[in-house]
Structures are given as C-alpha cells and as structure tokens.
Amino acid sequence: MRRVMLALALALAPGCSRDGAPDHMQRARDAIFEKRPEEALVEYRKALDSLRMDETAQAQVLKARALKGAADVYWLELRKVKEAVSVYKELINQCPESPEALEGRVVLAELLRVHFRDLRGAIDQLTAALARNPPQSAELHYQVAKLYFELQDYQQCVLESRKLVERFATSAFVDDSIYLQAQALHMQALKSEPGSPEIPRFRQEASRTYADLITRFPDSELSPHAVFETGKLKAEAGDNEKAIETWVQALKNHPEPATVQDAIARARRRIAATTPGEVGSRTTAFERPRPPPRNSIEAVGGSADERDHGD
C-alpha cells in the first residue's frame, strides 16, 4: 500500500509527469536559441526527472530527445567533451533503438577518435550504427575503413574498403574507397619484412587497384594522385625509368607539380648514381633542392614518418 501511495504522489507532483516534460524541453530549446546553454541543461534534466518513473513508449521517445539535446548542448554549445561523451553513452544505453541514439553513435565515434584517440571505440560505435542500416551507410563504412588505416591494420582496411565498393557501387565514396584500398595495400608492402615474398604481391595488387581507380574514375580528383602513387610503386620495385615515365604523365594534371618534379629528380639521381661515365654526370632542370613535399599517404590518415619510401 505504501508503494502505491508513493507512486501516486510522484505522479501527481508538479513537474514529475510526462505532461511536464515537453514544456521543459521547449524551455530548453528556447534557452539554446537565446544563448543560455547552462539553463538549457537544467531544463533537459528536469524533463528527464519527470520521465524517470514512466516506462511508456511515448516517455521513451521524449527521454531520447532530452538526452540527445543535453549531449548536444555539452558538445556544440559548451565544448565540454567528457560530459558530452557521458551523456551520449547514457542515451545509447537507455534508448538504444531510437533515432537519436543512432545520431549519437556517429557523434560519439568522432569524439572518441579526435579527443581520446580511442580508434577501436570509434569503430565499435560506427559498426553499431551501420547495423541499423542508416541512409549514410556508405559514408560511415568509409569512416570505418579509414579508422583501420589509422590503426595501421591495413589488412582490415583493405577488406572494409572492398566491402564498401561491393555494397555501395553507386556511392560517391567508391573512388575514395578504391584509393584507400590501394594505399593500404601499398603500406602492407612497405611494412613487410625486407625480402618478403609478399612485397611483390602487395605492390602488384596496389598497382592494379590504382589502375582500376584511374580507369573507372578518370575525372576524380584522386586520379592524378593514383598515377603518382603508381610511379612510386615502380620506383620502389627498382624500375626508375618506368617510374619517371609514369610521373611525367602525372605532371599533366597533378595539383602539386613540385611534388612530382621532386620525385622525378630523385629517380634521375638514382639512375645517375648507377650509370657509368659521363652519362651519369649530366644534370637536369629538376635537380634543384626543395623541401620535402606532403605525401598523399598522409592525406588519408598516415603519419609523418611514413611520408616517402620511394628512395
């Protein structure tokens, strides 16, 4: 009897019913619009308090909205990352099937990646979001592949990139995924033990993948980068003449011609160093020192110590 009376008292108390939650949430939205985020948080918390004893479906909808609203205030208005992460996690735990939880997972993944370097945690959140088959699945799948690249799990990066190309053949992320796949194969060759029989295979697969990108997406902004990277693969295999031929082709539309010219100059110096007589003493217009260029591997998440292995 006591429990019944307590539940009735809570239900009748001002601000402790589902009917009060929408009012608190509207006041929270008004406070955000008026640049009073701390007040908005108070209103969202009042809304959640009023829903605490309510297990109905409508209450769950309001609870998800209130939690998402509070998490967004912490992140977007106050830039309090730890608090935002905590509330996004609370949203996911309490309302896992809600649309707000799906959005929260995507934001949480980015916060974990950028502010905590928790790449595995970010992958877990994106994978859970993908299980809901959201409209932006191709983009999220690409983010997962990139995260594996950042983790230097190049084999898994290749697998994820291939899956994306197969499942989302008409997506705008297909050319990005093919390029990322080739980069991961290239890195597998660079990270293999010297003399490993796997190195030629990785190089050949990377070269074929770059060629696939160039053929399928000749107008992609990644196409000239793919031509440049193909030249690097040839240089790494010791075929400097073919590398130079490829880089000359890349010069036609590469956005950073100085980078290409530096690669050509280095290849010509390598040829000169192994050429007897006066043939190796001739200089070229490209043999002027320049600062080391930004490598396209860095453009997809590689670190600075991976910038150039073509020499």
Side-chain angles (χ1 to χ4, degrees):
M1 187 65 180
R2 239 169 170 186
R3 290 180 183 175
V4 173
M5 294 299 293
L6 178 59
L8 182 61
L10 287 170
L12 295 175
C16 291
S17 68
R18 187 176 70 214
D19 293 338
D23 293 335
H24 288 301
M25 291 171 66
Q26 184 57 54
R27 284 195 284 270
R29 289 190 288 269
D30 292 341
I32 294 170
F33 181 77
E34 295 166 5
K35 305 298 181 183
R36 292 181 280 114
E38 298 287 357
E39 184 176 325
L41 287 174
V42 171
E43 293 297 335
Y44 278 129
R45 184 51 59 187
K46 287 180 179 178
L48 289 167
D49 288 342
S50 72
L51 297 166
R52 198 171 301 279
M53 304 297 292
D54 194 338
E55 298 298 327
T56 63
Q58 180 60 24
Q60 286 297 103
V61 170
L62 294 173
K63 188 182 296 183
R65 292 175 181 172
L67 286 168
K68 175 67 163 47
D72 287 347
V73 168
Y74 275 125
W75 169 229
L76 299 175
E77 305 297 330
L78 299 174
R79 295 296 174 179
K80 292 185 176 180
V81 177
K82 290 183 179 179
E83 290 84 350
V85 167
S86 177
V87 181
Y88 281 126
K89 288 182 176 179
E90 185 179 354
L91 164 64
I92 291 164
N93 289 334
Q94 292 195 29
C95 312
E97 302 303 315
S98 66
E100 290 79 12
L102 174 60
E103 296 172 14
R105 286 187 185 278
V106 175
V107 179
L108 179 57
E110 183 67 6
L111 295 178
L112 292 174
R113 183 186 74 83
V114 174
H115 295 278
F116 298 94
R117 298 304 298 164
D118 182 3
L119 304 185
R120 294 287 181 188
I123 289 171
D124 289 343
Q125 292 300 329
L126 292 178
T127 301
L130 283 166
R132 301 285 303 280
N133 195 29
Q136 71 273 39
S137 287
E139 180 180 0
L140 298 184
H141 204 133
Y142 179 63
Q143 294 300 325
V144 169
K146 284 179 64 178
L147 285 166
Y148 277 116
F149 192 98
E150 286 191 61
L151 280 168
Q152 299 186 27
D153 188 345
Y154 301 119
Q155 181 177 2
Q156 191 62 36
C157 177
V158 169
L159 292 174
E160 297 296 336
S161 300
R162 284 175 177 165
K163 276 194 276 186
L164 189 155
V165 173
E166 292 170 2
R167 295 179 183 178
F168 308 101
T170 60
S171 165
F173 290 90
V174 170
D175 59 335
D176 299 89
S177 296
I178 294 173
Y179 186 78
L180 182 62
Q181 178 185 331
Q183 290 276 277
L185 288 163
H186 194 168
M187 290 305 302
Q188 283 182 285
L190 293 172
K191 294 295 184 180
S192 297
E193 289 293 326
S196 169
E198 292 292 290
I199 294 176
R201 180 176 69 83
F202 287 137
R203 284 177 179 157
Q204 288 169 6
E205 286 189 37
S207 184
R208 282 197 297 267
T209 306
Y210 285 129
D212 183 36
L213 170 62
I214 295 163
T215 301
R216 292 174 61 181
F217 301 96
D219 297 325
S220 169
E221 63 180 13
L222 294 173
S223 184
H225 292 283
V227 176
F228 177 72
E229 293 296 321
T230 301
K232 287 180 63 178
L233 286 164
K234 295 181 186 300
E236 288 162 14
D239 195 344
N240 290 296
E241 295 285 358
K242 287 289 186 183
I244 290 172
E245 288 179 18
T246 304
W247 286 328
V248 168
Q249 290 296 314
L251 274 174
K252 294 177 181 178
N253 53 7
H254 198 281
E256 298 177 12
T259 298
V260 183
Q261 290 171 348
D262 283 343
I264 292 171
R266 289 195 299 272
R268 286 179 172 166
R269 287 196 292 270
R270 288 193 295 272
I271 292 171
T274 57
T275 302
E278 293 184 359
V279 176
S281 65
R282 296 166 63 185
T283 59
T284 72
F286 296 121
E287 293 182 7
R288 290 175 292 180
R290 291 185 177 88
R294 175 179 172 84
N295 184 272
S296 55
I297 288 176
E298 291 183 57
V300 294
S303 60
D305 61 353
E306 297 167 351
R307 58 173 57 220
D308 186 74
H309 301 267
D311 288 341

